[in-house]
Amino acid sequence: MDLNPALLTGLYEHSPWIVAQALARGPFRSLAAFKRACVEVLEAAGREAQLQLIRAHPELVGKAGVDSSALTRESRGEQSSAGLASCSPEEFARLQQLNRDYNARFGWPFILAVRGPRGLGLTRTQVIDTFARRLLAHPDTEFLECQRQIHRIAELRLMDALGERIAEGEQCWDWAEQLARHSDDAGQLTVTYCTPAHQACARQLQAWMREVGFDEVRIDAVGNVVGRYHGTGTRCLMTGSHYDTVRKAGRYDGRLGILAPLAAVRRLAGRRLPVGLELVAFAEEEGQRFPATFLASSALTGSFQPAWLEQRDAAGVTMREAMQAAGLPGTMEAIAALRRDPANYLGFVELHIEQGPVLDAAQQPLGVVTSINGSHRYLGEFVGQACHAGTTPMAMRQDALLGLAELALFTETQARALGAVGTVGICEVPSGSINVVPGCCRFSLDLRAPDDATRDALRDAVLQEAQAVAGRRGLRCELQATVAADAAPSHPDWQARWEAAVRQLGLPVHRLNSGAGHDAMKLHQILPQAMLFVRGGNAGISHNPLETITAHDAQLAVDAFAKLWEGLA
């Protein structure tokens, strides 16, 4: 596509050189390709040029905000859209103090795309809360975040200049907001299995599937919402993700993988493709109410365990009772009937937010998953001797906490060397006291890797070191395995299809593995699978109310899914 330079003035504050150098790399296949070129130009420019660009921006309601003539037309409109021209005296004073504190800490003005992820404008409260949160960031982290915000500002200005339409991305964003109205807890998003909020989500998804044109829609025996859109042939593609959440969740984990295919079906407006689509909104993945996880996708693979029905939640309600209270059968006979015949499907693909910082740091909106990590988890305990902290010489101690400290550092070093990850997430000293050498330390180990061989190598090394540490320090070490999950490498053909879809959008292919578990791990047992990740904002934070995506990235997710599906012809 050809871009008219006259329409692109003002994209980057007082810095026309970015657009000029990006245009020199054209022509471009898409606006996404042009935006990526702008990112690469700024990355190549070096820190001094990046710092000058940041400093070219005005403060939020700082001195430039008082003297509006100092603002560019674009900045004036953006600050006005967030209501910053109408601050109360208290809000104005708060912003002025934040500006002073921020400049003193970092040496540049605070940058925020005040029109927000949907493009409609953040509230003044949201702006102030974001300002205060980012004031605590590390300078290197904040320097990069300012650049990401600048590119987002440019993206929104480009949309205005060219009249770009991202209606499907905006629809996905709006659907996610509407779905988030249903929650187990007031004031935060929590949706756990078979609660009234969970049932309300299922009904809403069912209604949307019918509205956009699915031919068959039902809620199955475990609460999955299943929609089928018929193709002209007999074969079918399966897709989907989960609609339950963790406690105090974000709006897009799992749900984006339901909403983007919904938008893709809506786009067809009844047009038929050679390959049909089965969209499954999985009822449970997070394991928040009952200990079982992936119970909804396990039903489709035939691996649902009968004993799960007798698990109890914190209130003593069994899973069977919860299912029956929600109008589900709660019987193994009904659940077993959900098992899918692999012969009826070409494969399974899943869209998901990354839930990590890699794509956001790389400023890549989409990433192709190469494998879902396998994992080993343990609960452990080092036992030594509690004794007086003042009278016991260092060489004569049996310090259980230092045993764990040594093991934790070894785990970090070994995981880095193997290209894996290892985490000590729990560390407890029972009855600990400020003047007592720790005699016991309880802990957890979470070891993950993209393939089973690496996962097992990390496990073996860490378990061997645990016993070696215990021997050196005169401790006893006990470890109990709690989870062993196999890795799920993407099927080469389906990974290649995602890569082709990304290239068709004019974007480079960014490959990464998934450190988190997904429903695709279960479907991997019966079908070839592959995943596409979508960038999350706020450094990719997830399982957190700060979880966010932009409507632009949601549009790219819809486009990529549509291209993969239509490409199956």
Side-chain angles (χ1 to χ4, degrees), residues 415-440:
R416 285 183 172 181
L418 292 172
V421 292
T423 305
V424 175
I426 297 173
C427 173
E428 299 174 348
V429 177
S431 304
S433 178
I434 194 170
N435 60 350
V436 177
V437 174
C440 178

Side-chain angles (χ1 to χ4, degrees), residues 380-399:
E381 184 177 67
F382 277 113
V383 179
Q385 179 64 59
C387 54
H388 198 291
T391 63
T392 309
M394 298 300 291
M396 299 176 69
R397 299 184 179 201
Q398 294 170 277
D399 190 322

Side-chain angles (χ1 to χ4, degrees), residues 197-234:
H198 187 267
Q199 296 169 61
C201 287
R203 289 191 296 270
Q204 181 63 80
L205 290 169
Q206 192 176 32
W208 285 337
M209 286 184 186
R210 291 188 174 123
E211 179 184 312
V212 303
F214 278 87
D215 300 294
E216 303 172 32
V217 182
R218 63 189 175 91
I219 297 177
D220 71 16
V222 293
N224 297 325
V225 186
V226 183
R228 288 191 64 106
Y229 188 82
H230 299 318
T232 58
T234 59

